[in-house]
Amino acid sequence: MNKIVIIGGGASGLAAAISAARCGAFVTISEKNDRVGKKLLSTGNGRCNFTNINASFKDYNTDFVRPVMDRFPPERTIDFFKGLGVIPKIEAEGRVYPNSCQASAVLDVLRLEADRLGVFVKTEFDAVRVQKKGNGFEIFSRKNEKIYADKIIFAAGGKAAPKTGSNGSVYPLLESLGHRITLIKPSLVQIKTEKSIGGVRQYGRVFLSDGKERTGEIQFNNYGISGIPVFGLSKYISAADMVYIDLLPDYTEKEVLEILQARPVQMLETYLVGILNKNLAHLLLKDCKIVPLSRRSDSLSESEIRKIAAKIKCWGFTVTGVMSWDNAQVTSGGVCTDDINPETLESKLVKNVYITGELLDVDGDCGGYNLQWAWASGYVAGKEAANV
């Protein structure tokens, strides 16, 4: 019987454990926290957006995911959780949640199934060293405890949300085995900007100068901007970059201009009422250098009206940085996929070592895509490790 040790008891690690145990392997999860699945509890704002029915290999930063996604697409994820007792609830844009809207329910069914299958969970085991032992491996903890494994599945996550245990501590261990780590940075994270306004939500299009864009609800905060479209672009943005917002994406600039020209005469402080949030409108007008707001709108020149229309369609914000790893949902970058078999997720450098989930240089959009990759990669790696 294969003795498989899974380093990391998060989403991908639990999926790998269940998959391998169902194939008859003896499975141990080594988890650095005092319990498994801590990060999973915070996903989807505590509701656990566990997949997206629209997810395909095209929704990730690399085609590397295609063989695994073909084997374990969103339909299989939904069926997998149905088999564990979770009724899916499909919401806007294909996001899938448990019907109970509780992330704890997803974690509970995974833990119950792992327990039913005899998976041994060793908590507070912080793996720091791996060495060959015969045909297998010895895994040592920070406390110098050790576990023997015929095969290892690394599923410890990246650096996002370090308070949940994902602090990147496994990267050096993988580097010691010869694996390269690509540039890592926070992803699906809020953006800090020079201009800011707190407590405003506005539907719009966020875009970059290279053509990348996302549309959805934008949240304006006292530090900058956030929301799903911002999260989706955050990994491409660095300090001093410009990010642009189209506040009326369903209208052309010409149509916006016509709307403004037809506005009734009023004070400028109410000129955009009914079009934009009042506080957001005031910030935009001031950014157009149209002051004071106490003057009448019929004092606006044609060029000023055109400037407002143009700003509504393309409002530039200078980026001062992104929020910290504590705020990030996902890690951009990770173990270089050139050294991983995309069909099995086995290392090409070290036989009987598998790497899954967020540890790899794989990341997707906001909305269930990254958990879909976690389940799919974990399940495939667990099956391959148990059967090979």
Side-chain angles (χ1 to χ4, degrees):
M1 178 185 292
N2 276 329
K3 291 184 178 179
I4 298 173
V5 173
I6 299 169
I7 298 178
S12 194
L14 286 165
I18 290 169
S19 176
R22 284 178 176 178
C23 293
F26 179 80
V27 180
T28 296
I29 294 176
S30 72
E31 168 58 49
K32 68 188 298 184
N33 289 324
D34 59 358
R35 64 186 188 276
V36 297
K38 190 173 181 180
K39 185 176 179 180
L40 188 58
L41 293 175
S42 63
T43 58
N45 290 321
R47 297 174 60 210
C48 194
N49 175 194
F50 67 88
T51 190
N52 192 300
I53 60 172
N54 301 316
S56 76
F57 73 95
K58 296 177 183 178
D59 296 300
Y60 299 86
N61 64 316
T62 171
D63 288 348
F64 172 84
V65 304
R66 187 168 190 167
V68 167
M69 289 290 290
D70 285 346
R71 287 177 64 179
F72 205 91
E75 309 89 78
R76 282 206 63 186
T77 297
I78 291 170
D79 287 342
F80 172 74
F81 280 104
K82 279 184 178 178
L84 299 180
V86 174
I87 297 175
K89 180 181 182 182
I90 302 173
E91 296 191 2
E93 299 176 333
R95 296 190 290 270
V96 185
Y97 298 84
N99 195 61
S100 65
C101 291
Q102 291 178 297
S104 59
V106 174
L107 178 56
D108 284 344
V109 298
L110 291 166
R111 290 176 61 197
L112 287 168
E113 179 66 359
D115 186 61
R116 185 188 73 80
L117 292 166
V119 173
F120 178 69
V121 178
K122 187 170 181 60
T123 57
E124 299 183 320
F125 187 95
D126 188 4
V128 295
R129 184 163 58 94
V130 171
Q131 67 180 33
K132 289 288 293 180
K133 176 74 172 180
N135 293 324
F137 306 90
E138 283 184 332
I139 305 163
F140 294 84
S141 76
R142 198 171 298 279
K143 298 176 182 177
N144 210 35
E145 301 170 287
K146 67 179 178 181
I147 305 174
Y148 175 82
D150 295 313
K151 299 178 181 181
I152 303 174
I153 299 174
F154 285 92
K159 284 194 70 173
K163 291 178 182 177
T164 65
S166 298
N167 61 3
S169 61
V170 174
Y171 292 140
L173 202 163
L174 287 165
E175 286 179 313
S176 74
L177 297 176
H179 283 280
R180 297 167 290 165
I181 309 299
T182 65
L183 176 66
I184 57 171
K185 58 188 295 189
S187 185
L188 302 190
V189 68
Q190 303 92 333
I191 296 171
K192 295 186 286 186
T193 60
E194 285 185 352
K195 291 188 292 284
S196 63
I197 180 171
V200 176
R201 294 171 182 261
Q202 172 76 36
Y203 177 80
R205 179 173 66 98
V206 183
F207 58 101
L208 307 178
S209 57
D210 63 2
K212 294 184 180 69
E213 63 176 62
R214 299 287 190 279
T215 301
E217 185 181 80
I218 305 161
Q219 297 172 23
F220 293 83
N221 302 295
N222 55 12
Y223 56 78
I225 54 177
S226 66
I228 289 177
V230 174
F231 289 166
L233 294 174
S234 58
K235 68 180 178 181
Y236 304 112
I237 297 172
S238 301
D241 287 347
M242 291 294 294
V243 61
Y244 301 93
I245 297 176
D246 176 355
L247 294 169
L248 290 177
D250 297 331
Y251 296 82
T252 65
E253 187 173 329
K254 181 175 182 293
E255 289 170 332
V256 173
L257 179 61
E258 290 170 351
I259 290 169
L260 296 180
Q261 290 170 333
R263 300 289 283 174
V265 175
Q266 56 197 293
M267 305 306 289
L268 284 183
E269 64 182 7
T270 59
Y271 182 56
L272 297 177
V273 166
I275 300 175
L276 300 177
N277 172 280
K278 187 176 181 179
N279 292 333
L280 191 62
H282 288 180
L283 182 63
L284 183 141
L285 290 172
K286 290 175 181 176
D287 207 41
C288 289
K289 303 293 191 293
I290 296 175
V291 290
L293 300 183
S294 57
R295 66 184 170 114
R296 286 161 53 98
S297 61
D298 58 357
S299 68
L300 290 170
S301 66
E302 180 68 16
S303 64
E304 286 178 319
I305 297 175
R306 289 182 179 277
K307 184 185 290 187
I308 295 169
K311 186 77 72 173
I312 287 173
K313 291 297 293 178
C314 183
W315 192 3
F317 288 73
T318 301
V319 175
T320 59
V322 300
M323 296 294 273
S324 70
W325 285 107
D326 286 333
N327 300 89
Q329 296 181 23
V330 174
T331 303
S332 173
V335 175
C336 181
T337 55
D338 291 345
D339 299 327
I340 307 298
N341 184 330
E343 301 285 343
T344 65
L345 300 181
E346 184 177 15
S347 168
K348 296 176 182 178
L349 307 179
V350 186
K351 186 176 174 57
N352 294 330
V353 165
Y354 299 77
I355 306 174
T356 74
E358 196 178 338
L359 266 178
L360 292 165
D361 183 6
V362 172
D363 62 277
D365 278 344
C366 187
Y369 299 94
N370 291 290
L371 271 180
Q372 169 59 33
W373 170 246
W375 312 125
S377 59
Y379 196 91
V380 167
K383 188 176 181 63
E384 291 293 332
N387 287 339
V388 175

